[in-house]
């Protein structure tokens, strides 16, 4: 039975939450493997709308065990409030499993995230301010605090002291802020320990056993390929690996166990925060995409930057993730345009370029080369099969598929679970 990875093929917010939820009913485990509560995954079930930040979207499917893997950074206050918010709405969260090796986001990480952004001024990344980067930085610097440290008070305090030693100097001397008391941080974290203890498990062992027993395991990415710290538009990226390889390191599962990698791809492009975006629109088309597509951040409420579909990026996502399928979302948003521009290549310093530029400065100079595809005006939100789509919508999907390098196996025509055309089965 398959282990599947489902990830963002662009700059995040492609509709991963909806796609995960759609598969949730047929999946035994849904696993977050990287990122943290910088994610905002929307799931619409009937007339109920859920916004999940840290928990895997599979938590809404009763038969499915949600897992937070070792590669995730966990803010314990957010974890508990998200769980209790779901409990209040009648969702059973008792099956959640949390890796003891996952790193914590502490209050000082969030403080440093915000102060660093302020310090950067014009050069800021536009982070979500949730402490993601500073927590991963501590992990790599070997001064991170892990979930398992919550259960040993003396170790916890020692580790917090080690982590704050240097940071307090920076806060006081560089940022002119008050230093943070290790004891106070330890007490706050210890206050969460008892509520979290029951969820902690050796998640790598659980997941490998599950795969060996032919269970279906779905790895749900946060963010997207172009926000990957290695393969994205560095430095305008998040601090983890949303790309497919991240599922292996972030969950403790070997690459030979993964049978399918599904890229979630919006029928146009959006981005939140700073950084290059060749097809970005600053005109009424961009405004229309934002208002029709409701492109406002789930986590920070910021306006998303909007632009046309970029096939160079889609091809790149196919390459660096080894995608086997695409799930094309939000096709319905494009209804009503007479012709739809699609970026097929870039022009960089007078030369046509078909692949994502390897060099950052080249990407900043990339101008989109557009092909114009005929649009459609019919409402497509009730379409159930590919043939139900108007001919021009079918042709749009087929063109994107040819340009992007992997089959489009599902098409989203609305936010709801049933507003999906399944072309090929994922399981
Ligand atoms: P994620 O971060 O990748 O899970 O995506 P977000 O939830 O941040 O943003 C995607 C938005 O698009 C959400 O509001 C979804 O409800 C919505 N959505 C997902 N698929 C479709 C679709 O096919 N059509 C429309 N109109 N909305 C969709
Ligand atoms: P989902 O999972 C879109 C962006 C931020 C910023 C950069 C770094 O909903 O697709 P961070 O706080 O991670 O250090 O910010 O990454 N970003 C996202 N953009 N969707 C997301 O998540 C994002 N998570 C982070 O806007 O540009
Ligand atoms: Mg989102």
């Amino acid at each position: 039975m398959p282990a599947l990875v489902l990830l963002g093929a662009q700059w995040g917010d492609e509709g991963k939450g909806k796609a995960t939820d759609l598969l949730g009913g047929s999946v035994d485990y849904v696993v977050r493997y990287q990122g943290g509560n910088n994610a905002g995954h929307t799931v619409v079930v009937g007339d109920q709308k859920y916004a999940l930040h840290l928990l895997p979207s599979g938590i809404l499917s009763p038969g499915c065990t949600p897992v937070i893997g070792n590669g995730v950074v966990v803010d314990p206050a957010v974890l508990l409030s998200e769980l209790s918010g779901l409990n209040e709405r009648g969702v059973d969260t008792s099956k959640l499993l949390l890796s003891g090796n996952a790193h914590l986001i502490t209050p000082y990480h969030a403080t440093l995230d915000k102060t660093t952004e302020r310090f950067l001024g014009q050069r800021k990344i536009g982070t979500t301010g949730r402490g993601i980067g500073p927590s991963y930085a501590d992990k790599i610097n070997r001064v991170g605090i892990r979930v398992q440290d919550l259960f040993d008070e003396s170790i916890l305090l020692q580790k917090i002291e080690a982590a704050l030693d240097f940071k307090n100097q920076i806060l006081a001397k560089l940022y002119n802020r008050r230093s943070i008391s290790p004891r106070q941080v330890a007490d706050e974290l210890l206050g969460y320990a008892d509520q979290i203890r029951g969820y902690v498990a050796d998640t790598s062992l659980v997941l490998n056993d599950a795969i060996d027993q032919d269970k279906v395991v779905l790895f749900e990415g946060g963010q997207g390929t172009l926000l990957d710290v290695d393969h994205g538009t560095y430095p305008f990226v998040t601090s983890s690996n949303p790309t497919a390889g991240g599922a292996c390191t972030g969950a403790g599962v070997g690459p030979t166990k993964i049978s399918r990698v599904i890229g979630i791809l919006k029928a146009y492009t959006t981005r939140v925060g700073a950084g290059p975006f060749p097809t970005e629109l600053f005109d009424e088309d961009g405004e229309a995409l934002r208002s029709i597509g409701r492109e406002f951040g789930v986590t920070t409420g910021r306006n998303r930057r909007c632009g046309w579909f970029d096939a160079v990026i889609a091809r790149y996502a196919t390459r660096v993730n080894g995608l086997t399928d695409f799930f094309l979302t939000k096709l319905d948003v494009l209804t009503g345009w007479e012709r739809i521009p699609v970026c097929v290549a870039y022009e960089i310093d007078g030369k046509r370029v078909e692949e994502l530029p390897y060099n950052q400065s080249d990407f900043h100079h990339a101008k989109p080369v557009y092909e114009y595809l005929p649009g459609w005006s019919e409402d497509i939100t009730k379409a159930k099969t590919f043939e139900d789509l108007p001919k021009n919508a079918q042709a749009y999907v087929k063109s994107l598929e040819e340009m992007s390098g992997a089959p489009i196996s599902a098409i989203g025509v609305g936010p709801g679970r049933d507003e999906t055309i399944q072309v090929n089965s994922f399981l």
Side-chain angles (χ1 to χ4, degrees):
M1 268 307 223
L4 304 92
V5 181
L6 191 157
L7 53 80
Q10 294 150 322
W11 275 286
D13 303 325
E14 299 91 347
K16 298 177 291 293
K18 175 192 154 162
T20 302
D21 171 67
L22 196 67
L23 288 170
S26 349
V27 163
D28 298 298
Y29 293 84
V30 176
V31 189
R32 279 284 308 269
Y33 57 87
Q34 49 66 236
N37 60 307
N38 48 348
H41 297 176
T42 318
V43 179
V44 180
V45 187
D47 60 357
Q48 293 288 309
K49 187 167 167 178
Y50 299 87
L52 299 161
H53 297 284
L54 179 57
L55 295 167
S57 304
I59 201 157
L60 300 173
S61 302
C64 183
T65 301
V67 180
I68 297 179
N70 57 276
V72 175
V73 283
V74 177
D75 184 327
V78 171
L79 175 66
L80 293 174
S81 87
E82 206 166 312
L83 287 170
S84 70
L86 288 176
N87 291 339
E88 278 162 25
R89 295 175 71 177
V91 178
D92 175 16
T93 59
S94 60
K95 286 202 282 185
L96 176 72
L97 300 178
L98 169 63
S99 168
N101 288 343
H103 279 246
L104 293 179
I105 300 179
T106 71
Y108 54 79
H109 292 123
T111 303
L112 277 168
D113 194 353
K114 289 178 203 135
T115 34
T116 310
E117 282 281 274
R118 230 171 287 141
F119 192 75
L120 283 171
Q122 289 282 341
R123 291 170 294 138
K124 72 177 179 190
I125 308 293
T127 73
T128 59
R130 300 296 192 265
I132 306 293
S135 177
Y136 277 116
D138 277 3
K139 173 178 174 173
I140 301 301
N141 274 332
R142 294 162 294 189
V143 289
I145 317 288
R146 296 192 290 175
V147 168
Q148 58 182 283
D149 299 327
L150 288 174
F151 312 115
D152 186 327
E153 181 171 348
S154 112
I155 294 252
L156 180 70
L157 187 59
Q158 282 175 41
K159 289 194 173 179
I160 294 172
E161 279 167 353
L164 279 177
D165 228 14
F166 182 65
K167 287 185 188 66
N168 271 336
Q169 307 263 356
I170 295 185
L171 280 171
K173 293 182 183 152
L174 192 63
Y175 295 143
N176 213 10
R177 308 257 309 197
R178 262 187 310 177
S179 55
I180 296 169
S181 144
R183 185 70 253 177
Q184 221 172 326
V185 175
D187 286 345
E188 181 175 336
L189 294 179
L190 287 166
Y192 305 123
D194 282 343
Q195 294 171 80
I196 285 179
R197 196 187 304 268
Y199 298 116
V200 178
D202 182 347
T203 49
S204 163
L205 182 63
V206 170
L207 293 171
N208 278 282
D209 282 350
I211 293 170
D212 289 345
Q213 289 163 26
D214 275 356
K215 299 273 201 290
V216 185
V217 178
L218 178 68
F219 298 92
E220 177 189 9
Q223 294 75 53
T225 300
L226 274 293
L227 286 172
D228 186 283
V229 69
D230 284 276
H231 300 291
T233 48
Y234 191 91
F236 301 102
V237 292
T238 192
S239 300
S240 66
N241 289 117
T243 48
C248 296
T249 48
V253 166
T256 50
K257 300 281 169 78
I258 299 199
S259 45
R260 212 148 175 182
V261 185
I262 304 163
I264 314 301
L265 187 68
K266 216 177 264 194
Y268 49 97
T269 314
T270 62
R271 169 162 210 174
V272 192
F277 178 0
T279 63
E280 182 169 15
L281 293 165
F282 300 95
D283 58 5
E284 61 273 21
D285 281 332
E287 272 306 319
L289 288 174
R290 186 174 304 117
S291 66
I292 301 168
R294 303 214 175 97
E295 297 295 354
F296 309 99
V298 182
T299 300
T300 57
R302 286 178 290 180
N303 276 1
R304 291 175 182 156
R305 300 157 64 192
C306 296
W308 298 120
F309 184 83
D310 185 334
V312 183
I313 282 173
R315 278 199 293 278
Y316 180 71
T318 303
R319 163 157 56 100
V320 297
N321 294 299
L323 295 182
T324 55
D325 302 82
F326 279 115
F327 188 141
L328 186 73
T329 60
K330 302 194 107 167
L331 185 64
D332 53 299
V333 174
L334 293 179
T335 300
W337 267 274
E338 208 167 303
R339 53 177 210 159
I340 308 169
V342 169
C343 168
V344 294
Y346 300 139
E347 191 195 297
I348 301 172
D349 301 330
K351 284 205 192 91
R352 185 183 165 108
V353 174
E354 308 276 341
E355 295 292 336
L356 199 90
Y358 186 63
N359 184 297
Q360 186 197 346
S361 312
D362 287 346
F363 193 51
H364 278 268
H365 296 153
K367 292 196 182 67
V369 176
Y370 285 118
E371 258 179 31
Y372 296 85
L373 303 179
W376 60 92
S377 55
E378 300 89 330
D379 175 18
I380 62 167
T381 57
K382 304 283 179 299
K384 296 286 172 236
T385 66
F386 188 69
E387 289 67 36
D388 290 342
L389 291 173
K391 285 281 171 276
N392 285 350
Q394 292 185 17
Y396 184 81
V397 173
K398 280 287 157 209
S399 299
L400 263 46
E401 183 172 86
E402 275 160 32
M403 293 170 193
S404 304
I408 293 177
S409 295
I411 303 161
V413 291
R417 257 183 198 171
D418 52 350
E419 290 169 309
T420 306
I421 298 171
Q422 196 75 46
V423 183
N424 309 308
S425 166
F426 287 127
L427 292 166

